[in-house]
DNA sequence: GTCCACATTTTGATGAGTCAAAAATACAGT
DNA sequence: ACTGTATTTTTGACTCATCAAAATGTGGAC
């Protein structure tokens, strides 16, 4: 009973909170799920009911859907495949970090666990992918990442960018261009609610001001 | 209108003569096609009629099916992807040549042309895959391979094994074990119709007798 | 409390790909 | 020519995943 690509995509979307930028709450609303998958709302409802019958999700009508233990594990493995593949494409195949998403999206459903492990081995068993997203273990476990965003970290304090939560090519290229990729050391100089912006001092005293929406997608760790 | 995996599989099967060991004749019979794809005969008929409407094959009821120019190109590209992937798995990922078929079978339908080209580049643009099967160019062209099998090559004459036409794990392992992989130098000592067998002298004076069916799957070139 | 806007679920239908079994066809052998 | 066997096509039905649009439920504004 290997799950179809479709099932894997639903589980993955629920696992990732269906693209919610807010902390993944317990229940993912149907609308959000349908949106994340690019299907009509009714389609998501139907599919989720099927998944519930297979014991992969818990479904509360009119409230939303959450993964069961089994569903979580399956989803984590899909995400693992995705992220290992992304890492492999960047490190071994010369892809840019903004070019790997679609390719990984396709491959994650067909590549064997064996090949994933080979890739993982060649990569030195990395803990995160090129975007800083954590790679679940083969058992489906993710090391919890205590993190803050540019919106919540202390001001005027050196921090390291560890993760960029957005797969949009244009955004990623912007981040790269301004040296804000994972690994870079920066400092948040100021936040301004009125102008909805955050001023950052990056490498070589470079200053850049970005919107709060963008700032919320950059996660950092104290240094 | 990118073709589905199913369409690609039908085209590939027709391209490869649906597993016929005989030289790929013009028309592939429906039964053979259905057999190669593991579907019911009626299913193949239905699908082939659809393919004919898309202009990918020419279909002669009760006679069989053949690829059009367009179908040939598409099929060749699928085969190209398959063989480049096989080569990549063996050379770069540490797979055995008997272990790559299923993985490539899955990946060939999802991997982008870009990734295939990257692999091809890393491999030094090989002309054949680990089994000696020729790799079509990105334009879908295969260099014609003038070849004989162990059944047709001259006796007591040194030849080089260039290709093994069978993906069966057990057979491939047998071939490997007896040093009959592509690249090996051998000599056919005798053929015997009565016993349906061929005696071969391989590396280090090693003798081995194989059936004619097996012998027909080993292609060689004069040296 | 009532009502309304919005999210969600239901309903009926569609397309792709498949099967089993019945009907039709081709062709080899007499 | 005729008949029987093997192959092929047709038929009717099924599953999966989807949509559009109608029906229904939920929760906030007043």
């Amino acid at each position: 009973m290997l799950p179809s690509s479709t099932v894997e995509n639903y589980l993955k979307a629920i696992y990732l909170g269906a693209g919610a930028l807010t902390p993944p709450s317990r229940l993912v609303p149907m609308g959000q799920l349908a949106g994340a998958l690019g299907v009509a709302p009714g389609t998501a409802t139907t599919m989720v009911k099927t998944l519930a019958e297979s014991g992969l999700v818990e479904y509360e009508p009119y409230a939303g859907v959450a993964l069961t233990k089994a569903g979580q594990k399956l989803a984590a493995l899909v995400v693992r495949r995705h992220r290992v593949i992304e890492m492999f494409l960047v490190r071994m195949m010369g892809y840019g970090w903004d070019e790997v998403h679609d390719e990984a999206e396709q491959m994650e459903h067909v590549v064997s666990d064996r090949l994933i492990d080979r890739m993982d081995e060649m990569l030195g068993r990395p803990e995160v992918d090129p975007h800083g997203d954590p790679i679940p273990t083969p058992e489906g476990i993710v090391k919890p990442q205590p993190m803050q965003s540019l919106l919540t970290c202390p001001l005027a304090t050196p921090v390291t960018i560890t993760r960029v939560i957005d797969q949009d090519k244009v955004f990623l290229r912007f981040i790269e261009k301004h040296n804000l990729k994972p690994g870079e050391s920066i400092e948040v100089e100021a936040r301004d609610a009125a102008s909805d912006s955050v001023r950052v001092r990056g490498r070589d005293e470079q200053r850049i001001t970005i919107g709060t929406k963008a700032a919320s997608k950059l996660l950092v760790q104290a240094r």
Side-chain angles (χ1 to χ4, degrees), chain A residues 61-62 97 105 129 156 161 167 179 203:
Chain A
Y62 294 100
W97 77 324
E105 200 74 21
D129 78 3
I161 296 185
Q167 298 283 357
N179 299 122
R203 190 204 288 180

Side-chain angles (χ1 to χ4, degrees), chain A residues 1 3 7-8 11-12 14-15 51-58 66-78 138-140:
Chain A
M1 296 296 119
V7 168
E8 289 188 343
L11 295 179
K12 186 178 62 159
I14 299 166
Y15 181 88
L51 293 178
E53 279 177 14
S54 316
L56 294 170
V57 303
E58 245 157 278
L67 296 174
T68 61
K69 265 275 151 54
Q72 258 173 59
K73 170 140 193 197
L74 235 49
L77 290 182
V78 177
E139 294 74 39

Side-chain angles (χ1 to χ4, degrees), chain A residues 167-186:
Chain A
Q167 298 283 357
D168 180 67
K169 282 183 174 50
V170 177
F171 183 68
L172 291 177
R173 280 199 276 265
F174 169 85
I175 292 301
E176 182 158 33
K177 186 176 166 199
H178 293 92
N179 299 122
L180 295 174
K181 280 176 71 169
E184 296 284 352
S185 298
I186 61 158

Side-chain angles (χ1 to χ4, degrees), chain A residues 69-109:
Chain A
K69 265 275 151 54
Q72 258 173 59
K73 170 140 193 197
L74 235 49
L77 290 182
V78 177
V79 170
R80 171 179 167 75
R81 292 201 292 269
H82 182 97
R83 292 182 179 165
V84 169
I85 292 167
E86 285 199 342
M87 199 66 174
F88 186 83
L89 292 176
V90 169
R91 290 288 152 78
M92 304 294 176
M93 303 304 291
Y95 271 59
W97 77 324
D98 57 323
E99 305 171 317
V100 291
H101 189 71
D102 296 348
E103 189 92 45
E105 200 74 21
Q106 291 299 121
M107 288 178 66
E108 68 188 7
H109 304 297

Side-chain angles (χ1 to χ4, degrees), chain A residues 127-150:
Chain A
E127 293 191 350
V128 298
D129 78 3
H131 310 94
D133 302 324
I135 299 176
T137 68
E139 294 74 39
I141 296 161
V142 257
K143 191 187 262 187
Q145 305 208 310
M147 275 190 194
Q148 295 180 296
S149 79
L150 288 191

Side-chain angles (χ1 to χ4, degrees), chain A residues 192-204:
Chain A
D192 182 36
S195 69
D196 183 47
S197 70
V198 175
R199 192 170 79 247
V200 173
R201 181 159 61 77
R203 190 204 288 180
D204 304 330

Side-chain angles (χ1 to χ4, degrees), chain A residues 15-81:
Chain A
Y15 181 88
L16 298 175
L21 290 185
T22 56
S25 54
R26 217 183 75 68
L27 285 179
V28 176
M30 285 303 158
Q32 201 142 47
L33 181 59
L37 291 164
V39 299
T43 305
T45 300
T46 311
M47 193 63 203
V48 161
K49 284 206 275 192
T50 316
L51 293 178
E53 279 177 14
S54 316
L56 294 170
V57 303
E58 245 157 278
Y59 169 50
E60 290 187 33
Y62 294 100
V65 61
L67 296 174
T68 61
K69 265 275 151 54
Q72 258 173 59
K73 170 140 193 197
L74 235 49
L77 290 182
V78 177
V79 170
R80 171 179 167 75
R81 292 201 292 269

